[in-house]
Amino acid sequence: MGKGKAKAKQMKGQLKESAGRAMDDKRLEAEGRGEKAVGKAQEAAEKVKKNFKH
């Protein structure tokens, strides 16, 4: 997965989290937080891969 896709996943998670908060939907809010965390982890993994290639 590329850095762009990881950033997109973070943004999607942020939107879900915000929507869940606005609608008082705890499940959607938690799903968004989880998705955002996965995106951050994927972005970190991409940085590590990039550093090992050089």
Side-chain angles (χ1 to χ4, degrees):
M1 175 172 278
K3 186 177 178 181
K5 286 185 180 182
K7 282 285 191 188
K9 188 174 252 336
Q10 287 178 50
M11 288 174 42
K12 183 179 174 188
Q14 180 65 47
L15 288 172
K16 280 185 177 182
E17 184 179 1
S18 296
R21 198 174 302 122
M23 296 186 302
D24 198 30
D25 184 340
K26 299 298 181 193
R27 183 196 58 79
L28 185 60
E29 189 177 346
E31 188 178 310
R33 275 195 307 272
E35 203 165 306
K36 194 167 58 170
V38 168
K40 286 182 181 183
Q42 290 170 339
E43 184 178 8
E46 287 298 319
K47 286 180 184 178
V48 169
K49 280 199 279 188
K50 181 182 174 188
N51 287 333
F52 277 110
K53 286 183 181 180
H54 294 287

